[in-house]
Amino acid sequence: MFEQPVNAPMILLVDDDADMTMGLSDRLTAEGCQVAIAHSGLEALHWLQGHRPSAVLLDFHMPEMDGIKTLQAIHTVDSKIPVIIVTGAEPQELLRHRELYTAAAYLPKPVEWIVLRQTLIVVLGQWLTGGARQRNRLSSAPARKARS
């Protein structure tokens, strides 16, 4: 089984929709990311007690602890963690919440993969590479002598 490189970005997905998190997790893993999943704001905060992600993808509407409270709590833990809000909410609804201005970006649901990928490239400051697995597999293979 392939292991992610040590420097692979760690993305924390926070969404109460299991199908959404699994779909995004599969795509992000294929791009060479490490992925952690939390199905609530409280789960995310518990996970953050022992980890620091490269970025967080955060659903806006969740039971128990909504996206606003979760965003505030994440930034209380570490204000440098970039948080991307993923939401089906109308832009006017988002504008009413000043607390959301600290988010790195906002993406509408359903999430278009190319838009998410480009957003992560900008937020993380590095290129996500779907071919990373193949390159890593090749670079870790023993060198062969060329035949003459």
Side-chain angles (χ1 to χ4, degrees):
M1 180 168 193
F2 172 74
E3 290 185 31
Q4 297 292 351
V6 174
N7 61 348
M10 168 58 79
I11 309 298
L12 174 59
L13 302 177
V14 186
D15 197 315
D16 57 320
D17 182 341
D19 292 334
M20 173 83 164
T21 56
M22 288 310 299
L24 286 176
S25 176
D26 290 346
R27 292 298 300 261
L28 290 166
T29 301
E31 288 286 333
C33 295
Q34 299 176 62
V35 178
I37 296 173
H39 293 291
S40 71
L42 294 174
E43 277 185 39
L45 294 175
H46 179 74
W47 185 85
L48 286 168
Q49 289 177 3
H51 306 88
R52 282 299 171 272
S54 305
V56 176
L57 294 178
L58 176 62
D59 185 21
F60 183 68
H61 291 293
M62 293 185 296
E64 296 177 29
M65 187 176 202
D66 65 17
I68 295 169
K69 291 178 184 165
T70 303
L71 174 65
Q72 290 173 325
I74 289 170
H75 282 163
T76 298
V77 171
D78 186 342
S79 64
K80 294 181 182 170
I81 298 173
V83 178
I84 299 168
I85 302 291
V86 181
T87 182
E90 294 295 322
Q92 297 83 1
E93 181 181 356
L94 297 177
L95 290 173
R96 289 190 302 227
H97 301 284
R98 294 183 63 193
E99 301 87 354
L100 294 177
Y101 296 166
T102 62
Y106 304 90
L107 296 177
K109 282 185 178 180
V111 176
E112 291 185 38
W113 173 247
I114 191 72
V115 175
L116 173 57
R117 187 175 189 275
Q118 288 300 107
T119 302
L120 285 170
I121 289 167
V122 170
V123 168
L124 296 174
Q126 67 188 62
W127 190 261
L128 300 176
T129 56
R133 286 190 280 187
Q134 185 65 26
R135 279 194 300 283
N136 287 337
R137 193 176 299 126
L138 293 175
S139 66
S140 64
R144 294 185 186 179
K145 287 187 179 181
R147 293 185 185 198
S148 26

